[in-house]
Amino acid sequence: MKKSFLNFFIVLLTILINTDGFAQKVITKTGTIKFQATMPTYEEVAAENKSVSAILDQSTGDFAALALIKGFRFKVALMEEHFNENYMESEKFSKATLKGKLEDFDSSKITNTPKNFTLKGDLTIHGKTKPITVSIKISKAANGLSTVGSFEVKPEDFDIEIPNLVRKKIADKIKISYNFLLVK
């Protein structure tokens, strides 16, 4: 676990070091990720994490994001406890990462009007890495870029077991939405 956490930061440092100047990088440590796994007629299964780190190298389109699993907050404390201990095993799998490259990214064409880009990369959750393609809307913002979007994942794709007792109360596909204000 320590080794993979260190590897993530080595990737971030490599992005920073292997390009000309730091002006091309935009970053946040206060990005937001929300997930929604609610089934109709059952209690809401949703959480939000407001301390997600992300970085974009505008010269290459390289992108990386890191969310600490224990940073997700639920409305119901017991649900948060079950999420960390029983489903995500956050002591063992402390983070989720997304690393990839924006296809055909050209920072000079970014305006105040959101433009769609495709990010192809790897999503790691619960210690399991899967290739993923994510749509990202990027627009200019004060001192940087606004990036927003959403995608869906299946718990079983990341070896997250949902007990039969609660299986019908949790959606088969979990909707993940994100919002990052990346600044210089």
Side-chain angles (χ1 to χ4, degrees), residues 68-165:
L68 296 178
I69 299 303
K70 284 191 174 184
F72 284 97
R73 298 292 172 245
F74 291 74
K75 290 180 182 175
V76 178
L78 185 59
M79 197 176 287
E80 188 171 314
E81 183 180 324
H82 288 178
F83 171 80
N84 281 298
E85 292 177 8
N86 302 335
Y87 303 109
M88 297 301 290
E89 301 173 272
S90 59
E91 289 295 323
K92 184 176 180 183
F93 306 108
S94 61
K95 66 187 177 328
T97 61
L98 173 61
K99 296 183 260 183
K101 188 172 191 81
L102 292 165
E103 292 184 334
D104 302 320
F105 183 75
D106 183 349
S107 63
S108 69
K109 295 187 178 175
I110 303 298
T111 66
N112 292 335
T113 303
K115 181 175 169 67
N116 287 321
F117 289 94
T118 300
L119 173 76
K120 286 192 176 181
D122 292 316
L123 177 64
T124 302
I125 301 174
H126 199 245
K128 183 145 185 166
T129 302
K130 301 287 272 182
I132 191 167
T133 300
V134 177
S135 179
I136 298 180
K137 288 184 181 181
I138 301 177
S139 60
K140 279 190 178 181
N143 300 323
L145 300 175
S146 171
T147 61
V148 297
S150 65
F151 58 95
E152 292 182 339
V153 296
K154 293 181 179 181
E156 63 266 17
D157 287 346
F158 295 93
D159 294 337
I160 300 169
E161 294 181 27
I162 310 296
N164 286 335
L165 182 64

